[in-house]
Amino acid sequence: MSIRNTLSKYFSNHAETREDHWDSSLQTRYYKTTKDKALKKIEELIAKSDSFKVNSISEEHGEIGIIATKGKKVFIVLTVIMVRPFQTAVDFSVTTESIIPMDFGYSTKLINQLYTLVDKELPLITETKAKRSFT
C-alpha cells in the first residue's frame, strides 16, 4: 500500500469497490446466486436495518440507492451484476456528506460493514474460484 493510496483512503469522502482494487477489503465480491435473487435479498436486508433506508431501486440496471438514517449523512449506490449463471458481483460506491471534503475512512468502514451483512445472507464465492472462472 503506497502512501498516496493510504492518504486517499482517509482524506477523501468517497470510497468504492472494484475488481482490481489495491485494498483487498474493497475488491468486488462474488456470490453464488442470480442478479434478481441478490437484489431482492439485499433489499430485504436493508429494509430490516434501522441504520439504512432504500432510496431507489433500478432492477433493470441492477442498482439500489441507499441512504443512512443514523450517523453521518451517507449516500450508497449498490450495484449487482450477474457475471455468469450463479456468479453475481456486488459492488458499492459510498459518498459521505460533510463540511470538510474528507471522512477519515468512514466510507471504507461502511463498505466493510455492508459486505459483512451481505456475506451473512448470500453464499460467497471465494476469490480463487471467482478468478479461475474468468480465465
Side-chain angles (χ1 to χ4, degrees):
M1 180 175 2
S2 74
I3 293 172
R4 180 176 179 234
N5 289 339
T6 304
L7 289 174
S8 70
K9 179 178 179 179
Y10 293 103
F11 297 108
S12 172
N13 66 344
H14 179 78
E16 61 183 54
T17 60
R18 66 174 184 258
E19 179 71 32
D20 58 348
H21 204 284
W22 59 268
D23 183 352
S24 61
S25 70
L26 295 178
Q27 290 180 349
T28 302
R29 294 199 189 170
Y30 295 89
Y31 298 92
K32 189 174 182 174
T33 187
T34 62
K35 179 184 123 184
D36 294 333
K37 287 180 183 177
L39 278 171
K40 184 177 180 192
K41 193 61 137 172
I42 292 169
E43 182 185 356
E44 290 171 3
L45 185 67
I46 298 301
K48 287 182 204 174
S49 171
D50 59 344
S51 300
F52 304 104
K53 179 181 151 189
V54 174
N55 190 32
S56 64
I57 298 174
S58 173
E59 291 181 18
E60 188 177 298
H61 294 109
E63 292 183 346
I64 300 176
I66 304 166
I67 54 174
T69 57
K70 291 186 177 179
K72 296 182 180 184
K73 281 185 142 183
V74 178
F75 181 69
I76 305 161
V77 177
L78 178 138
T79 307
V80 178
I81 301 169
M82 194 156 126
V83 180
R84 297 178 187 271
F86 293 100
Q87 185 173 357
T88 303
V90 175
D91 279 307
F92 291 96
S93 176
V94 177
T95 304
T96 305
E97 287 184 34
S98 63
I99 297 169
I100 54 175
M102 58 186 91
D103 65 7
F104 304 105
Y106 183 77
S107 298
T108 301
K109 288 179 199 172
L110 194 57
I111 288 173
N112 290 323
Q113 289 173 354
L114 289 167
Y115 266 145
T116 301
L117 287 174
V118 175
D119 289 350
K120 291 177 184 177
E121 296 295 321
L122 297 173
L124 181 66
I125 298 174
T126 59
E127 275 186 53
T128 53
K129 287 181 185 177
K131 289 187 178 185
R132 243 187 275 140
S133 66
F134 287 125
T135 57

